[in-house]
Amino acid sequence: MTAHTHAYRDPILTLNNVSIAFHNEPILRDINAQVLDVTRPNMRQGQVVGFYGRSGIGKSVLCRIMAGLVAPGTGTVEVGLAQQSVTPGMVGFVQQRYPLFEHRTLHDNLLVAAQRKHAPAAARQHVDAYLERFGLAPHRRKYPALLSGGQRQRAAIAQQLLCSDHLILLDEPFSGLDVAMIDEVKKIIVEVTTMDELNTVIIVSHDIVTTTALADRLWLLGYEHDAAGALVPGATISPQHQYNLAEMGLAWHENVEAEPEFAQFVEHIKQEIRGS
Ligand SMILES: Nc1ncnc2c1ncn2[C@@H]1O[C@H](COP(=O)(O)OP(=O)(O)OP(=O)(O)O)[C@@H](O)[C@H]1O
Ligand SMILES: [Mg+2]
């Protein structure tokens, strides 16, 4: 497939030598990775990063570090065009389980989030707009316990978009969803990343096909081996496990899943994950 014309501008997220250990056990080691603002002619094009790795390898831990909720043992995380050190609230984070305030209605859950960034009148307007866009307007008076899994998830995504600046982490957004809901969440992700040039979504997922089809960049968290072939403790995202799908011609194609090149690449990624 031919690559769409694109270029890169300033960094939106920079991970500099990020490492962390729990009880002296290294979990993440020397992670260096960057997301740059990708541009396409006459389009608003945000960024989508697919983030893979075996279960238990440290993806959710790295998300908490990127969201500023956990400080890394060493290294730094810088976000936004100003490349500021991340602090809680700068990065939206839809966790593997999406917590909402159970004693507030859906509308009020979103309002609390929106008021962290906007004045009250503007916050209300934003909430109404998001309820519409996410197909949640009919459920605005419901308490979270009454929402379906998919509705709850869309609410959690809307909530994070309402209160964060451009960068949002989705930890396992497709798990537990039926096929129609997966399509809906895919649509929301595409919508979010065409809403603003700087919007950036990092998707942690074991659903390689769905996520790769959405992404323009992939990160694979795995273990490296030393010269003697022994496993180096602590997972990292090595340079050969950072894929630029835009350059490979695999980004921004509708129905890319049907292309043989895409299927081949997905097989390669799965093989790399198995071997890491
Ligand atoms: N606060 C903590 N204290 C000690 N160990 C922790 C802590 N948080 C995470 N871990 C450990 O770090 C490792 C990585 O966990 P993490 O949740 O990041 O995995 P993951 O890659 O997200 O896996 P999955 O795909 O199953 O969600 C696990 O071994 C986990 O037990
Ligand atoms: Mg996880």
Side-chain angles (χ1 to χ4, degrees):
M1 273 174 295
T2 48
H4 289 296
T5 306
H6 65 282
Y8 290 99
R9 285 209 293 239
D10 303 317
I12 288 181
L13 170 70
T14 306
L15 306 179
N16 257 319
N17 288 317
V18 169
S19 303
I20 195 167
F22 292 120
H23 315 296
N24 291 325
E25 187 198 342
I27 300 289
L28 301 174
R29 180 179 58 80
D30 295 337
I31 295 180
N32 288 290
Q34 201 166 44
V35 181
L36 301 174
D37 175 13
V38 66
T39 60
R40 292 172 66 194
N42 309 316
M43 284 190 73
R44 266 194 315 242
Q45 181 64 63
Q47 299 57 237
V48 182
V49 180
F51 181 21
Y52 304 142
R54 303 278 304 268
S55 184
I57 203 157
K59 301 181 298 297
S60 294
V61 169
L62 186 59
C63 283
R64 289 201 283 278
I65 292 173
M66 290 191 288
L69 302 178
V70 169
T74 66
T76 55
V77 176
E78 280 142 16
V79 298
L81 289 183
Q83 290 286 280
Q84 290 175 299
S85 264
V86 71
T87 54
M90 279 183 182
V91 174
F93 182 20
V94 181
Q95 310 215 31
Q96 236 164 333
R97 281 165 221 227
Y98 1 97
L100 295 168
F101 298 117
E102 297 296 333
H103 60 290
R104 290 181 202 265
T105 62
L106 169 58
H107 174 271
D108 290 354
N109 260 285
L110 297 187
L111 192 60
V112 170
Q115 282 177 341
R116 281 171 47 190
K117 209 168 93 180
H118 304 282
R124 281 179 192 282
Q125 275 175 8
H126 277 94
V127 168
D128 288 342
Y130 272 83
L131 283 168
E132 277 303 326
R133 182 176 293 141
F134 283 65
L136 292 168
H139 310 291
R140 56 192 290 133
R141 301 270 161 245
K142 286 186 182 166
Y143 287 90
L146 300 179
L147 298 172
S148 77
Q151 290 164 348
R152 208 181 155 89
Q153 180 157 33
R154 275 174 288 158
I157 294 174
Q159 182 194 38
Q160 294 305 312
L161 286 170
L162 278 164
C163 68
S164 58
D165 304 321
H166 302 304
L167 188 56
I168 166 163
L169 311 174
L170 305 178
D171 198 351
E172 299 284 359
F174 308 118
S175 67
L177 298 186
D178 69 43
V179 281
M181 276 306 314
I182 289 178
D183 286 344
E184 215 170 319
V185 172
K186 276 164 73 177
K187 254 193 259 161
I188 289 171
I189 293 170
V190 171
E191 225 180 278
V192 166
T193 49
T194 48
M195 233 155 37
D196 190 298
E197 179 62 44
L198 295 180
N199 279 2
T200 301
V201 180
I202 299 183
I203 306 170
V204 176
S205 183
H206 295 292
D207 185 338
I208 311 295
V209 170
T210 302
T211 306
T212 305
L214 286 168
D216 60 273
R217 186 182 290 278
L218 297 182
W219 291 345
L220 203 159
L221 185 62
Y223 296 110
E224 288 181 337
H225 295 84
D226 65 17
L231 216 61
V232 182
T236 196
I237 308 175
S238 57
Q240 75 267 25
H241 283 156
Q242 302 187 22
Y243 300 87
N244 184 331
L245 301 180
E247 268 164 26
M248 294 167 75
L250 292 173
W252 314 307
H253 290 283
E254 242 181 281
N255 298 322
V256 71
E257 289 105 317
E259 300 289 335
E261 270 170 84
F262 179 84
Q264 254 171 31
F265 178 68
V266 163
E267 262 325 297
H268 167 76
I269 290 289
K270 287 184 178 171
Q271 209 49 44
E272 290 297 300
I273 295 172
R274 285 187 194 106
S276 66

